[in-house]
Amino acid sequence: MVNPVLLIAVPLGLAFAIPLFGFISQKLEKYIPPVAMLFNLIVSLSLIPKVLEQPIVVSIGGFPPPFCINLVAGPVGVLFSAIIALVGFLVSIYALDYIKEGATEKYHMLYLLLLTGATGVVLTGDIFNLFVFFEILCISSYALVAYLGNRAGIESAVKYLIQGAIGSSLVLIGVALLYGLFGTLNMADIARNIDSVSPISVFVPLVLLITGLGIEGAIFPLNAWLPDAHSSAPSSISAILSGIAIEVGIYAVARVIFTVFGASSIFLFLVLLGLLTLLVGEMSAFSQKNIKRLLAYSSIGQIGLIVFALGIATSYGVVGGLFQIISHSLSKALLFLAVGYMIYRTGSMDISTLDGMGKRMPFTSLAFTIGAFSLVGLPPFVGFPSKFLIVRAALAKEEVLFTVLIALVLLGTVIEGAYFFRVIQTLYFKGKRVSPNKREEAPIAALIPIGILMILIIVIGVYPRLVTDILNSAASELLNRIGYIKGVLG
Amino acid sequence: MSFLNHYIYYIGAFGLIFIGLYIVLVKHNLIKVIIGLSIMETGVNLFLISIGYIKGGTAPIFSTPEIEAARMVDPVPQALVLTAIVIGVAVLALALSLAIRLYQHYGTLNLRKIKEQRW
Amino acid sequence: MRRIISILLLGIIALGITLSLAKIPFGTPKTKVGRYYIDKGVEETGATNIVTSVVVNYRAFDTLGEVTVLFIAAIGLGAVLTTGRRKKPERKIEPASLVLYTGCRFLFPLILLFGAYIFVHGHLTPGGGFQGGAIVASAFVLTYLGCRERRISERGSKLAESLGGLIFVIVGLVGLAVGGYFLMNFLPKGIPNFLFSAGIIPILYIVIGVKVGSELAGIIDNLIEESE
């Protein structure tokens, strides 16, 4: 059996070794992140059949839990680490050609460490360790947002850092209160004892943890940093922040609510919060003229949908939420990667300058169209089955409230469709001044990941059965706290 | 008086946290905001340490054989604080470097005046 | 307006935390994990400093993450400050006076030695890799202030940082290969209270000390470079 700790140790070791490879040859550095992520992808995929039977719990240092830190590679963890490795691998190939300026060696190190932090967050079974890996994820993303060193990048990074630092302090207070109450940091051990103290005293750490982790997860009203940070980072980093970082934030919130606290009383609050996030995000996206800000606000909308689905907290709802995470990771990564070279060619982020791109960059425009259709939820793309599951989950509740709410969600989807169609219209049907033989397609290193993402979006959209097994068992891991506690502590 | 005796460290810790948070929320100068974040970190660290404290306790080090284990304070919060301090230093260093760059671009550190990115 | 809202917000948080804190009385022993470490720590890890045994053995994975965070800060700061750094005219640095210069050169090795002592004895006395590393970095600050033209070699500090992190991970992987657990203490524990005891703990602390020292010195170096 492959030990899941390798998913963290190997990329971490390779990230430390990048300067050493740099002493041999400067050209070698940029090939390290793809190699590390390919390794992670293979290991994650090979772990899936095993974790479907039962979660793999490994302790670090060789002491029994809760006396040491342990990793829990259950279906949820392995599903997330596979998504992280997949998107990370594809974006790192894109970056081979895209990142040419600045301190490229530092870019590749920070990039790999960001993904390692994300993998650590989804695999760890210890609440303080989760905080540490969360900080790795956050601090490397602050630095990467500022990577271009221009006015917008620095300003956004400062805002992101201030809000993120407040969030991490709140998380740390929450962790400290939990340690004071229960004398342990192991999530399963805390979950086992959570009912032994009065609900009011565990409510405060719960709120602190949700607030602190929710800042990275961009839940409304904690998302003021997101549009700035996602739009002023380099496009490859925007793809990672939108496709991975906020999903990991949502994972952490979900893990805390579902597994550690088992707080079923706040599920309805979560549903409403998700809906609010969705509507705010989609409406702000509608009025944007800057293409990257539009995509960033659309990410907020999608996060709202995911939170809405998780808050339904039935098996259908959680499956739908996790499916939506897959769909959003793939589609939003594709959109940012496609937009990256369009902006590079036109030199502006204004939507109106993208006219005629359908002729200038046909493949990239097609990729943008597929990503947008998938996010809106059109068949046969991956967004369709995920949105369908969420609608079905809400209707299966058979309550008037949920029927009204899902109608509002669909209204959000309509707004989403409207602004994406406006962009697509600009790409294909405006701008006659470009002659059709003037092609400026993106380089091959960018087209390969874009192509693979397109194929994946269509294949999973047509055969959703490819992922239903892992999604079903992941949903039951989140909903079945007792099983998780037994799996870790025996 | 016994109330103070029981909770003085908690009051101190949360006093620092709230002072820091207040500075971050209200002040406009980036350097002051960074100082606020730092004060808040310190408060959190003090709170962590005081959770593990035992009345009349000693450091958890078996340097001489006659030290009794029952009087030792909890070692875990101290280990956690070590980690938290290092993370705080990391964030602080990055924040200061961003402040230097921000000043070079805008010529000011007043966050109210730096508003190119907005809704 | 902003102040009133902030104060209201803080008041709500304070109220909530008070409610929660009422269940955590101050100064009474209550923790089960901490008690286990005190009772079994020396026997299981060989380190007499229990905090060290928690930091570098029971919760070594956190420490690996912590070392990574500092590494990220050092390279992130380098990335932010090096991109778009303007070429400045070479400014003549006023040389330090002879007393200052000699004093710094005299103190520099002593401070290094003290830092090294702190991190080598981390498993026996208060202190450890981070503390020792901070002392080592302070020696470099002193030379920056005193012997102003001296700089640490960038190549050397890069090598120390990378090798330090890499050795930490490799020690962990050797533990995985030998004992089946990542970061397992696979070396003989020795007799407590002796310098050569506690298995991998001194090795990891020396690595951390060197790494933290060079990272902090590198951060200061970058900031000084910027201010000139």
Side-chain angles (χ1 to χ4, degrees):
Chain A
M1 187 189 77
V2 194
N3 196 317
V5 79
L6 292 178
L7 288 172
I8 299 166
V10 171
L12 201 57
L14 284 172
F16 285 136
I18 284 179
L20 301 180
F21 286 111
F23 286 138
I24 303 169
S25 157
Q26 294 279 331
K27 282 185 184 154
L28 218 55
E29 288 163 353
K30 61 181 180 183
Y31 297 104
I32 306 296
V35 169
M37 283 300 119
L38 188 63
F39 171 84
N40 264 19
L41 185 61
I42 294 168
V43 171
S44 304
L45 291 180
S46 74
L47 282 174
I48 284 180
K50 290 186 189 100
V51 300
L52 283 180
E53 289 159 23
Q54 65 177 73
I56 304 168
V57 180
V58 289
S59 82
I60 288 166
F63 307 99
F67 300 112
C68 69
I69 293 169
N70 60 327
L71 296 185
V72 184
V76 184
V78 174
L79 170 70
F80 271 90
S81 79
I83 297 174
I84 292 166
L86 175 68
V87 177
F89 172 62
L90 294 174
V91 175
S92 63
I93 292 178
Y94 180 89
L96 290 180
D97 206 71
Y98 185 74
I99 298 295
K100 293 195 197 79
E101 296 162 355
T104 51
E105 176 194 89
K106 297 191 167 83
Y107 169 90
H108 294 296
M109 278 193 270
L110 289 169
Y111 176 82
L112 194 48
L113 290 170
L114 190 158
L115 294 170
T116 314
T119 314
V121 170
V122 299
L123 287 179
T124 186
D126 184 282
I127 191 104
F128 189 78
N129 198 234
L130 186 140
F131 167 77
V132 171
F133 278 111
F134 212 77
E135 284 301 303
I136 295 181
L137 168 70
C138 289
I139 297 177
S140 42
S141 36
Y142 308 148
L144 282 171
V145 168
Y147 178 73
L148 292 176
N150 52 12
R151 286 166 80 97
I154 299 285
E155 184 189 338
S156 320
V158 167
K159 285 185 186 171
Y160 186 13
L161 185 140
I162 293 171
Q163 295 178 32
I166 296 175
S168 53
S169 288
L170 295 181
V171 173
L172 198 53
I173 300 172
V175 171
L177 285 172
L178 282 181
Y179 183 77
L181 287 169
F182 301 107
T184 173
L185 292 162
N186 186 296
M187 292 205 276
D189 204 17
I190 296 173
R192 187 170 59 181
N193 298 321
I194 203 95
D195 292 327
S196 65
V197 291
S198 69
I200 185 74
S201 48
V202 290
F203 184 70
V204 179
L206 173 67
V207 170
L208 288 169
L209 285 173
I210 293 178
T211 318
L213 299 170
I215 286 180
E216 185 64 20
I219 301 170
F220 183 80
L222 307 168
N223 51 15
W225 58 272
L226 186 141
D228 298 348
H230 286 206
S231 61
S232 31
S235 286
S236 52
I237 294 305
S238 308
I240 289 296
L241 290 180
S242 250
I244 289 176
I246 49 179
E247 276 80 0
V248 170
I250 294 295
Y251 160 84
V253 172
R255 177 63 88 197
V256 164
I257 292 176
F258 281 99
T259 305
V260 179
F261 287 89
S264 53
S265 51
I266 65 162
F267 285 152
L268 187 63
F269 176 69
L270 215 56
V271 167
L272 295 174
L273 209 58
L275 185 67
L276 203 59
T277 314
L278 171 81
L279 292 176
V280 169
E282 302 294 17
M283 282 186 212
S284 320
F286 187 74
S287 57
Q288 291 303 314
K289 293 195 176 63
N290 176 329
I291 182 74
K292 279 181 85 174
R293 285 182 89 79
L294 182 140
L295 292 178
Y297 278 111
S298 146
S299 290
I300 297 181
Q302 295 283 319
I303 284 297
L305 186 59
I306 294 166
V307 173
F308 176 86
L310 292 176
I312 295 175
T314 59
S315 158
Y316 281 149
V318 177
V319 169
L322 294 171
F323 205 155
Q324 184 66 23
I325 286 178
I326 297 181
S327 135
H328 179 241
S329 288
L330 297 177
S331 316
K332 199 43 82 48
L334 176 62
L335 284 171
F336 270 117
L337 294 188
V339 161
Y341 268 101
M342 291 188 191
I343 294 169
Y344 193 70
R345 294 280 184 254
T346 62
S348 159
M349 294 191 194
D350 213 320
I351 293 176
S352 57
T353 60
L354 296 178
D355 54 354
M357 273 295 170
K359 296 198 180 74
R360 272 172 82 185
M361 307 174 77
F363 189 76
T364 317
S365 303
L366 178 68
F368 184 92
T369 313
I370 287 180
F373 281 175
S374 165
L375 272 192
V376 175
L378 295 178
F381 306 112
V382 64
F384 173 69
S386 61
K387 274 201 177 163
F388 180 76
L389 272 173
I390 295 172
V391 174
R392 191 176 68 167
L395 293 178
K397 285 282 247 190
E398 292 186 336
E399 287 172 33
V400 183
L401 175 67
F402 277 91
T403 318
V404 174
L405 292 179
I406 200 69
L408 286 169
V409 167
L410 292 175
L411 176 73
T413 304
V414 171
I415 303 174
E416 194 173 27
Y419 63 74
F420 272 125
F421 281 121
R422 209 180 64 206
V423 179
I424 293 166
Q425 193 199 13
T426 317
L427 288 180
Y428 282 103
F429 304 114
K430 277 189 184 166
K432 300 179 177 71
R433 55 202 161 110
V434 185
S435 60
N437 52 5
K438 195 186 165 211
R439 293 243 175 126
E440 293 179 294
E441 202 44 87
I444 190 76
L447 293 182
I448 292 171
I450 289 177
I452 295 175
L453 280 170
M454 278 160 65
I455 293 167
L456 279 173
I457 285 174
I458 295 174
V459 167
I460 302 179
V462 175
Y463 297 104
R465 286 196 180 283
L466 283 175
V467 290
T468 39
D469 276 352
I470 180 95
L471 285 178
N472 282 328
S473 71
S476 62
E477 183 196 328
L478 275 180
L479 291 170
N480 180 8
R481 291 176 71 214
I482 312 295
Y484 179 89
I485 297 168
K486 278 212 178 106
V488 175
L489 299 173
Chain B
M1 223 39 224
S2 72
F3 173 79
L4 266 188
N5 246 340
H6 279 99
Y7 289 103
I8 186 74
Y9 287 95
Y10 289 165
I11 294 167
F14 279 99
L16 285 177
I17 292 172
F18 288 135
I19 290 170
L21 203 54
Y22 180 78
I23 294 174
V24 175
L25 290 174
V26 170
K27 295 290 174 188
H28 303 148
N29 186 312
L30 181 58
I31 295 292
K32 287 184 185 167
V33 170
I34 293 173
I35 292 174
L37 287 176
S38 201
I39 293 176
M40 196 171 159
E41 284 274 351
T42 315
V44 178
N45 294 341
L46 181 58
F47 174 54
L48 262 170
I49 280 287
S50 52
I51 275 184
Y53 182 70
I54 293 172
K55 284 250 165 63
T58 58
I61 301 171
F62 290 94
S63 44
T64 46
E66 61 267 22
I67 289 179
E68 43 181 320
R71 275 181 56 228
M72 284 185 178
V73 299
D74 191 344
V76 180
Q78 305 197 5
L80 303 187
V81 164
L82 188 58
T83 310
I85 289 174
V86 172
I87 290 173
V89 167
V91 173
L92 191 66
L94 201 59
L96 286 174
S97 72
L98 288 173
I100 292 174
R101 275 277 165 269
L102 195 73
Y103 187 77
Q104 284 173 354
H105 279 303
Y106 290 87
T108 175
L109 284 171
N110 189 332
L111 291 173
R112 278 281 171 91
K113 289 188 185 152
I114 303 170
K115 275 193 174 170
E116 282 184 14
Q117 308 272 318
R118 62 167 71 86
W119 289 83
Chain C
M1 195 56 210
R2 206 181 159 111
R3 279 160 201 257
I4 299 168
I5 295 176
S6 311
I7 290 172
L8 271 178
L9 194 71
L10 293 183
I12 295 169
I13 302 175
L15 187 72
I17 287 174
T18 319
L19 286 175
S20 191
L21 271 185
K23 287 284 183 299
I24 313 172
F26 177 72
T28 49
K30 54 207 160 274
T31 58
K32 59 175 185 192
V33 180
R35 185 48 48 195
Y36 174 88
Y37 293 150
I38 289 175
D39 292 342
K40 298 275 177 63
V42 178
E43 181 191 330
E44 284 189 354
T45 68
T48 49
N49 183 344
I50 304 297
V51 179
T52 297
S53 73
V54 175
V55 169
V56 201
N57 209 170
Y58 291 108
R59 302 189 66 85
F61 208 46
D62 273 351
T63 310
L64 181 56
E66 180 183 356
V67 168
T68 313
V69 167
L70 203 57
F71 183 67
I72 291 172
I75 52 180
L77 184 126
V80 170
L81 290 182
T82 47
T83 44
R85 174 175 281 169
R86 294 174 208 147
K87 283 264 181 277
K88 290 196 199 81
E90 278 288 316
R91 217 175 49 182
K92 188 127 174 49
I93 308 164
E94 203 183 319
S97 71
L98 184 66
V99 176
L100 193 56
Y101 187 81
T102 320
C104 289
R105 294 196 59 181
F106 174 69
L107 280 176
F108 180 74
L110 293 181
I111 299 177
L112 280 192
L113 189 67
F114 180 54
Y117 171 84
I118 293 284
F119 62 68
V120 170
H121 287 78
H123 55 298
L124 304 176
T125 54
F130 293 96
Q131 297 87 330
I135 293 171
V136 168
S138 74
F140 287 102
V141 178
L142 185 70
T143 45
Y144 287 155
L145 297 175
C147 322
R148 294 176 198 178
E149 71 281 10
R150 290 186 153 222
R151 281 281 175 274
I152 49 167
S153 114
E154 198 182 328
R155 208 180 151 85
S157 76
K158 220 158 107 176
L159 199 67
E161 286 165 27
S162 298
L163 272 181
L166 205 56
I167 291 172
F168 201 137
V169 174
I170 288 171
V171 167
L173 288 175
V174 172
L176 182 66
V178 173
Y181 295 102
F182 188 68
L183 283 169
M184 188 178 171
N185 199 343
F186 58 88
L187 291 175
K189 311 263 180 338
I191 308 157
N193 262 327
F194 277 76
L195 183 57
F196 291 99
S197 66
I200 61 169
I201 290 178
I203 300 175
L204 289 184
Y205 251 171
I206 290 169
V207 167
I208 292 171
V210 172
K211 189 171 154 66
V212 169
S214 71
E215 274 162 357
L216 289 178
I219 287 175
I220 293 159
D221 184 57
N222 258 315
L223 288 173
I224 287 181
E225 194 99 335
E226 193 57 34
S227 67
E228 271 169 6

